[in-house]
């Protein structure tokens, strides 16, 4: 069996780039609990939230922070205007 995959960058058409989304998220999240002695103790993820993930018609960036203690914070950002939804 031979498989063919076509890759394309969905976010190329977004008005808010991935780097702008990260900046917006960091400006809107309190990250203090994830630092210990000046060292970040966690992981960050940026993903596209699509209609496949929910009943939404539009696309959104979702930025997640997961601390070593298991605490999770998420922020949802509109890809067209940068509006923070949660």
């Amino acid at each position: 069996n031979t498989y063919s995959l076509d890759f394309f960058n969905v976010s190329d058409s977004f008005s808010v780039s991935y780097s702008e989304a990260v900046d917006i998220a960091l400006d809107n999240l309190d990250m203090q609990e994830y630092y210990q002695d000046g060292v970040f103790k966690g992981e960050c993820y940026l993903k596209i939230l699509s209609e496949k993930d929910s009943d939404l018609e539009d696309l959104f960036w979702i930025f997640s922070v997961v601390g070593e203690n298991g605490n999770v914070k998420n922020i949802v950002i509109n890809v067209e205007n940068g509006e923070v939804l949660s």
Side-chain angles (χ1 to χ4, degrees):
N1 290 338
T2 302
Y3 297 97
S4 175
L5 297 174
D6 293 324
F7 294 99
F8 61 96
N9 187 346
V10 174
S11 67
D12 273 349
S13 64
F14 294 176
S15 296
V16 177
S17 70
Y18 71 88
S19 60
E20 292 169 319
V22 170
D23 290 341
I24 292 168
L26 294 177
D27 287 345
N28 285 276
L29 285 174
D30 180 10
M31 302 285 285
Q32 199 61 32
E33 72 179 84
Y34 299 101
Y35 284 88
Q36 184 178 24
D37 300 323
V39 176
F40 182 71
K41 300 288 186 174
E43 299 176 4
C44 297
Y45 301 92
L46 182 66
K47 158 182 175 169
I48 298 169
L49 183 65
S50 70
E51 57 275 351
K52 293 178 185 174
D53 300 313
S54 64
D55 291 333
L56 303 172
E57 290 182 18
D58 297 321
L59 297 174
F60 298 90
W61 289 113
I62 183 165
F63 183 83
S64 301
V65 182
V66 181
E68 285 183 343
N69 60 2
N71 288 353
V72 178
K73 288 186 180 180
N74 294 301
I75 189 165
V76 178
I77 302 162
N78 186 299
V79 301
E80 295 305 321
N81 58 24
E83 178 185 359
V84 174
L85 303 176
S86 67

